[in-house]
């Protein structure tokens, strides 16, 4: 559970297009959050999951194919990218 005023951001780690997607899931307070992009990807077939691998203890995290493809396109080759993704950040407690 999150504290009042807190929210999660996915920090997608650098990689090439076909590398596995690794990330950190970090918690920020609304008043102190770093700059980030937002992505709404709750749509898609939930039974057609793709693997995302958070580095901070969440283990294997399945996301829809649409979300996975968007994360792969947003990933940079040489630096992290912070993204609020509703399908991950809002629903993480369900995994």
């Amino acid at each position: 559970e999150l504290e009042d005023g807190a929210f999660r951001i996915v920090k997608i780690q650098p990689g090439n297009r076909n590398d596995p997607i690794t990330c950190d899931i970090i918690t920020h307070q609304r008043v102190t959050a770093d700059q980030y992009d937002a992505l709404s990807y709750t749509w898609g077939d939930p039974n057609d999951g793709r693997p995302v691998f958070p580095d901070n203890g969440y283990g294997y995290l399945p996301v829809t194919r649409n979300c996975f493809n968007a994360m792969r396109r947003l990933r940079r080759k040489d630096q992290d990218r912070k993204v609020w993704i509703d399908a991950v950040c809002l629903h993480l407690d369900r995994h």
Side-chain angles (χ1 to χ4, degrees):
E1 290 293 317
L2 292 171
E3 297 177 13
D4 284 344
F7 67 104
R8 294 181 186 100
I9 294 177
V10 177
K11 184 168 68 171
I12 303 170
Q13 301 199 358
N16 293 313
R17 179 164 171 78
N18 293 320
D19 291 345
I21 295 178
T22 58
C23 59
D24 291 316
I25 298 174
I26 53 180
T27 301
H28 281 286
Q29 292 295 322
R30 287 188 184 111
V31 294
T32 60
D34 295 334
Q35 190 171 15
Y36 60 92
D37 297 307
L39 179 67
S40 181
Y41 261 86
T42 56
W43 56 275
D45 183 354
N47 297 315
D48 187 17
R50 297 291 183 263
V52 173
F53 301 97
D55 281 345
N56 48 346
Y58 289 102
Y60 163 77
L61 180 64
V63 297
T64 65
R65 180 193 305 229
N66 296 328
C67 183
F68 179 84
N69 288 334
M71 291 175 76
R72 190 164 48 181
R73 290 188 200 310
L74 288 170
R75 177 174 47 189
R76 296 177 177 137
K77 289 184 179 186
D78 57 355
Q79 62 181 329
D80 296 336
R81 184 166 195 167
K82 293 180 182 175
V83 184
W84 178 86
I85 305 171
D86 56 1
V88 176
C89 298
L90 294 177
H91 305 295
L92 189 61
D93 295 328
R94 296 181 193 166
H95 297 287

